[in-house]
Amino acid sequence: MIISTGTASGKSLAYLTPAVASCLDGGTILYLTPTKALAADQLRGLRDLRITQLRAACFDGDTPFEERTWVRQHANYVLTNPDMLHRSILPRHSQWSSFFRRLRMIVIDECHGYRGVFGSHVAQILRRLRRVCARYGSRPTFLLASATASEPGAFGMRLTGLEMDEVTVDASPKGSTTIALWEPPLTELRGEGGAPVRRTATAEAADLLADLVLADVRTLAFVRSRRGAETVALTARAKLADVAFSLSTRHPRPATPHHPNTADPTTGHPNTADPTTGHSNTAEPAPTDRPSAANPTSTFQPPSTEPTTTTQLEPAPTTTQLEPAPDRRPNTAESARTGRPTPLEADPALSHQPDTAHLMGPTRPGPSHPTGLSTDPAVGTSGHEGPATDPASESSLAWALPDAPAQPDWTDLPNKIAAYRAGYLAEDRRLLEKALRSGTIMGLATTNALELGVDVSGLDAVLIAGWPGTRASLWQQAGRAGRDGQDALAVLIARDDPLDTYLVHHPQALFGQPVEAIVLDPDNPYVLGPHLCAAAAEIPLTDDDLPIFGTTTSTVLDDLVSQGLLRRRPAGWFWTKRERATDLADIRGGGGAPIQVVESSTGRLLGSVDEPSAHTTVHTGAVYIHQGETFLVELLDLEAGVALVSSATPDFTTFARDITDISILATQRSHPLGPGTLHFGEVEVTRQVVSYLKRRLQSGEMLGDEPLDLPPRTLRTRAVWWTLPASAVAPLAEAGIDLGGAAHAAEHASIGLLPLFATCDRWDIGGVSTELHADTGLLTVFVYDGHEGGAGFAERGYARAADWLTATREAITSCECERGCPSCIQSPKCGNGNEPLDKRGAIRLLNTLLSPQ
């Protein structure tokens, strides 16, 4: 069974009820989750039930060794993740024999997280789990849950190998969510080739996070990388520190007389509802230096039953521009001139939400101008009529305000914001989760570690710094706010990237569209082979087991026997090595021994980075951030497996760049596309990191390009590519088009737009373009999967090539720049310094390719 309904729709209750009943009846439950945070959150909920017969426990990398024996012998509700199932539970299944004999149900929560290479690995782990269960005579029910699975029944069958019933009707009550599409302003800076540069999404997110925390709006900011999450938290804390210093020098505010009904007697929280409408205004941010909140110009419905209001910021030129609402910030200058207090000054209980613009100074190179903004100051962000905030009605809020101390202590203000990411110690992560739930922390900058299912009730707003990769992730992250039924705000802050720019100018590509099909390929031989070895080490494989693992199992087994990894005997296939078979499969797709990150002055071990990522994240000269502390990498020693770092406070960040060569190994499918031909097949990619860019932290200004000397890496994967014959490109050359620059620009833009059609991220794929490729003899543009053996992304691009390439052309055409910029054809990871690029030529080239024949 798979349950696929919206966030906070009661899925947990749907599987908890039969699961707990099974435990009370003498059975056991295995609960799988992609993240440790979700497992810890579920464990807290189970313990809150206070059922003595329910012995729930987490079994993951954070579980102390002395507790693991107790869990194996006594726990009847075990919460774990695919990594522990792969490396510990299945290889030692005999130690879990009592648990497996009584196993009644396997809960796979947030199952949409199992996609790409990781999902392919998990699919094979679940097949191994089914074999072990059969060994002990149990046939547990698989119950899958996801808020954002497309074609859930088909996906669940592909993931588990079992027939699936699906539940998709969602009748749960929900508050409304306002979705804002926010495009950072252009700066006066110029990037490569003189291209205009927008303010970074992380800088915008830090400003918004600081402002929302000042407004007592509990906010979660999702940032795409660990380093980005740390940066957003550090920057927001620094802004709050400036505010705290400025406020501490002000005159103490007078105490507010006590008013009835200022707080909810049951919770002690301020009662900020509008007495005339009953609507809560707690999610409305305090006035800041930004334009006021909006009445939407158009409404789109996401793939759920939630009523969702959409506000588009920085629209395409064709969108009608409405005048912004009057700036309603507290005007201290006006107050001094007229002697009349501003709304903020008039009511001391609001003075904890100061106008930060005059305290922090200019925080943006230029303003963002939303459209569809209300000019009525009595209308708030949620569209409800509430108490007006203009000076004439400033006293109307006084009845609903809590008492305030006469002399507030502002020194603790920066501590209201923290960062959260994988790599922290388990106890630190649990403390952060608890602090966010309790309100001790009002703002948390996090990676997608908190995207999945963690019930942090009371959140008012979510900031999403950069397109999260899929519509599924967008709705998951937006669904973190408003989980106890209140209205909420979600802001998607666009990066300077073709896809992000396309989406904020084409909201119809987001709203009213189904979430993406979840792409996984369990038959990938690079995935299947290691798991067949692991399965043979657990229980020798027999002919009866082959259908469980897929149709290509026999061929892969023959290859494993020829490599000496398995031995064929009359009874089946046996693992013959002394090493652990599970070490062959790195299910998170890292590969290679991890690189240890060590502080050179103290010898302190800070953490580790997987070997492939080390080339781009801890190369010599890289900026490395760990738990809010910034370091510079002094040396990367790949042979010793160590990166030496030293503490530093640079005002820049770094981006690695590589060069790529590609050769075609086999063409599996082809069909005509316009005058050209579209292909899909196997390729070999050779990549080498050759340099890194230094960009100023806040503005994105490029400070330099430093060379690196790192060895090349070879990857056998799958790609989609298209070719154009000489007869089709000759007219373009005669018109003065730089064919190499045009193909290069089309490649960059198509890489940026593929994540809209395949469940992937820009960094999961790569590309190569050439005016004359050695294997085709034609102008050729490749886009390939960045994982060994492929992950299904290029295949998805092949299947939807016409839509994908049409959107690519539209993204380039609609960009307002003249010669190309990061929002259309420039790439942050281009090893050629984004040269040559021909924007006009790319449009002509794609027009030629997409022309009907």
Side-chain angles (χ1 to χ4, degrees):
M1 172 72 70
I2 179 168
I3 303 173
S4 181
T5 55
T7 55
S9 59
K11 294 184 297 296
S12 297
L13 187 62
Y15 61 72
L16 271 177
T17 304
V20 172
S22 295
C23 291
L24 297 179
D25 197 32
T28 59
I29 302 296
L30 182 65
Y31 173 94
L32 289 178
T33 171
T35 64
K36 295 177 183 178
L38 181 51
D41 184 70
Q42 288 286 319
L43 180 62
R44 179 180 58 83
L46 288 168
R47 289 178 173 170
D48 287 346
L49 296 176
R50 300 185 181 277
I51 300 175
T52 55
Q53 300 97 319
L54 182 64
R55 300 183 298 278
C58 281
F59 191 86
D60 55 31
D62 296 337
T63 306
F65 282 95
E66 58 272 17
E67 293 183 15
R68 296 188 181 189
T69 301
W70 183 92
V71 175
R72 285 194 297 265
Q73 295 177 353
H74 302 291
N76 57 8
Y77 198 119
V78 174
L79 303 97
T80 188
N81 51 57
D83 308 78
M84 288 298 286
L85 189 60
H86 165 63
R87 291 191 168 273
S88 179
I89 296 176
L90 292 179
R92 299 182 176 90
H93 59 84
S94 60
Q95 300 176 7
W96 292 82
S97 58
S98 176
F99 180 86
F100 280 123
R101 285 191 183 97
R102 296 179 292 129
L103 187 59
R104 303 282 182 83
M105 182 183 294
I106 297 170
V107 178
I108 305 175
D109 203 0
E110 303 294 353
C111 60
H112 67 274
Y114 303 124
R115 59 178 183 256
V117 171
F118 178 48
S120 302
H121 279 290
V122 173
Q124 294 297 347
I125 292 171
L126 295 178
R127 286 156 174 77
R128 288 164 49 198
L129 174 61
R130 288 169 51 199
R131 287 184 73 233
V132 169
C133 291
R135 170 69 176 267
Y136 294 99
S138 63
R139 293 189 60 188
T141 298
F142 280 76
L143 199 157
L144 284 61
S146 170
T148 47
S150 177
E151 300 177 351
F155 162 66
M157 181 176 177
R158 193 157 179 77
L159 184 66
T160 63
L162 298 169
E163 293 288 340
M164 282 280 151
D165 287 332
E166 60 181 40
V167 175
T168 57
V169 177
D170 183 356
S172 58
K174 301 180 187 302
S176 64
T177 300
T178 298
I179 307 285
L181 306 180
W182 183 282
E183 184 172 47
L186 288 169
T187 69
E188 296 180 355
L189 301 173
R190 289 294 179 266
E192 293 174 320
V197 176
R198 292 193 182 276
R199 196 160 187 263
T200 64
T202 51
E204 291 285 293
D207 282 358
L208 285 166
L209 181 61
D211 289 347
L212 288 167
V213 168
L214 282 169
D216 271 351
V217 177
R218 198 175 304 178
T219 306
L220 205 57
F222 285 103
V223 190
R224 293 170 55 84
S225 67
R226 296 180 180 185
R227 182 168 65 180
E230 297 275 10
T231 300
V232 167
L234 284 172
T235 306
R237 286 168 62 94
K239 292 181 182 299
L240 291 187
D242 291 342
V243 173
F245 176 77
S246 299
L247 290 174
S248 64
T249 63
R250 284 186 165 188
H251 296 294
R253 60 186 181 183
T256 303
H258 179 74
H259 298 285
N261 300 323
T262 59
D264 183 339
T266 59
T267 65
H269 295 311
N271 178 0
T272 54
D274 181 349
T276 61
T277 65
H279 295 308
S280 170
N281 293 305
T282 57
E284 180 172 346
T288 65
D289 59 334
R290 291 184 181 78
S292 65
N295 279 336
T297 56
S298 57
T299 300
F300 305 91
Q301 196 68 22
S304 73
T305 59
E306 303 180 31
T308 303
T309 303
T310 304
T311 303
Q312 183 183 357
L313 307 185
E314 287 291 322
T318 57
T319 304
T320 302
Q321 295 277 357
L322 303 182
E323 288 298 320
D327 188 352
R328 295 182 288 146
R329 290 176 290 164
N331 188 335
T332 53
E334 179 71 10
S335 174
R337 184 178 63 81
T338 63
R340 184 178 183 180
T342 66
L344 198 61
E345 294 170 319
D347 200 311
L350 279 179
S351 62
H352 71 296
Q353 301 176 357
D355 170 20
T356 60
H358 69 283
L359 300 177
M360 292 187 283
T363 59
R364 290 178 182 73
S368 297
H369 301 291
T371 65
L373 296 180
S374 167
T375 57
D376 182 359
V379 178
T381 55
S382 63
H384 303 313
E385 293 185 3
T389 55
D390 59 12
S393 59
E394 63 207 25
S395 61
S396 63
L397 284 176
W399 67 271
L401 294 169
D403 295 339
Q407 293 184 337
D409 180 12
W410 300 104
T411 58
D412 196 48
L413 192 57
N415 296 328
K416 294 289 186 181
I417 290 178
Y420 181 104
R421 63 172 175 81
Y424 284 2
L425 295 177
E427 52 267 30
D428 292 340
R429 293 197 302 270
R430 301 296 92 81
L431 286 173
L432 286 169
E433 294 160 18
K434 182 178 180 180
L436 184 62
R437 281 192 294 267
S438 66
T440 306
I441 289 176
M442 294 295 294
L444 201 60
T446 178
T447 60
N448 61 1
L450 284 180
E451 173 184 323
L452 301 175
V454 178
D455 186 7
V456 187
S457 297
L459 287 180
D460 301 310
V462 165
L463 305 176
I464 304 171
W467 172 244
T470 63
R471 297 184 195 94
S473 289
L474 175 69
W475 302 129
Q476 281 290 134
Q477 293 180 6
R480 294 307 96 190
R483 287 181 65 85
D484 57 358
Q486 83 272 25
D487 293 349
L489 169 70
V491 183
L492 173 61
I493 306 168
R495 293 177 303 155
D496 212 356
D497 176 89
L499 180 54
D500 291 47
T501 303
Y502 179 84
L503 291 173
V504 297
H505 289 279
H506 299 82
Q508 67 274 12
L510 278 181
F511 304 102
Q513 299 292 329
V515 297
E516 303 84 354
I518 300 174
V519 178
L520 68 156
D521 183 14
D523 297 329
N524 181 339
Y526 293 94
V527 172
L528 177 57
H531 287 285
L532 289 176
C533 291
E538 291 155 6
I539 305 168
L541 286 165
T542 66
D543 290 328
D544 293 337
D545 295 324
L546 302 191
I548 295 177
F549 292 97
T551 56
T552 61
T553 305
S554 297
T555 303
V556 176
L557 281 174
D558 292 340
D559 291 339
L560 296 174
V561 171
S562 64
Q563 296 174 34
L565 294 173
L566 294 182
R567 181 174 299 169
R568 177 71 188 269
R569 292 176 179 170
W573 290 265
F574 292 76
W575 173 249
T576 61
K577 302 291 184 179
R578 300 175 66 90
E579 297 83 4
R580 287 166 48 94
T582 52
D583 291 340
L584 294 176
D586 184 352
I587 71 172
R588 300 281 178 173
I595 302 296
Q596 306 299 318
V597 183
V598 177
E599 188 174 19
S600 58
S601 59
T602 64
R604 177 168 60 118
L605 177 63
L606 299 178
S608 62
V609 178
D610 59 271
E611 196 269 341
S613 299
H615 290 234
T616 56
T617 58
V618 290
H619 56 75
T620 301
V623 175
Y624 179 77
I625 300 179
H626 179 75
Q627 293 191 0
E629 196 172 354
T630 309
F631 300 86
L632 277 178
V633 180
E634 298 176 352
L635 175 68
L636 171 60
D637 189 336
L638 292 172
E639 292 185 1
V642 65
L644 298 177
V645 302
S646 58
S647 181
T649 55
D651 64 345
F652 60 86
T653 187
T654 53
F655 299 88
R657 310 176 79 163
D658 59 41
I659 57 174
T660 306
D661 291 321
I662 192 167
S663 59
I664 299 172
L665 300 179
T667 301
Q668 297 176 345
R669 275 171 271 169
S670 299
H671 70 74
L673 182 64
T677 307
L678 186 73
H679 306 269
F680 172 74
E682 296 184 14
V683 296
E684 184 174 82
V685 181
T686 302
R687 298 176 57 199
Q688 183 176 15
V689 175
V690 294
S691 67
Y692 66 95
L693 292 179
K694 296 166 66 175
R695 293 186 183 273
R696 198 171 298 281
L697 202 58
Q698 290 297 317
S699 66
E701 176 187 4
M702 191 173 74
L703 302 178
D705 189 353
E706 304 292 334
L708 289 171
D709 183 18
L710 289 169
R713 298 182 58 84
T714 301
L715 176 72
R716 290 174 65 98
T717 185
R718 297 178 184 178
V720 54
W721 66 94
W722 51 268
T723 59
L724 278 173
S727 59
V729 299
L732 301 180
E734 293 171 0
I737 299 295
D738 176 2
L739 294 178
H744 193 196
E747 171 222 325
H748 281 183
S750 61
I751 290 173
L753 268 293
L754 182 57
L756 191 61
F757 301 91
T759 314
C760 69
D761 180 79
R762 179 183 191 135
W763 299 90
D764 289 328
I765 52 180
V768 177
S769 59
T770 175
E771 184 177 349
L772 188 66
H773 190 266
D775 293 337
T776 65
L778 302 170
L779 183 147
T780 310
V781 175
F782 294 86
V783 176
Y784 62 87
D785 291 351
H787 298 273
E788 194 75 33
F793 309 139
E795 187 172 13
R796 188 75 175 171
Y798 178 84
R800 301 199 59 189
D803 294 338
W804 165 38
L805 295 173
T806 299
T808 300
R809 179 182 61 185
E810 172 63 22
I812 302 174
T813 304
S814 63
C815 186
E816 60 204 54
C817 71
E818 293 183 7
R819 299 175 51 205
C821 69
S823 294
C824 58
I825 62 173
Q826 289 190 353
S827 170
K829 55 180 184 173
C830 178
N832 297 320
N834 283 301
E835 291 291 344
L837 291 175
D838 186 341
K839 178 179 178 178
R840 182 174 65 91
I843 297 171
R844 292 279 302 273
L845 192 65
L846 289 169
N847 282 337
T848 301
L849 179 69
L850 295 170
S851 61
Q853 294 297 302

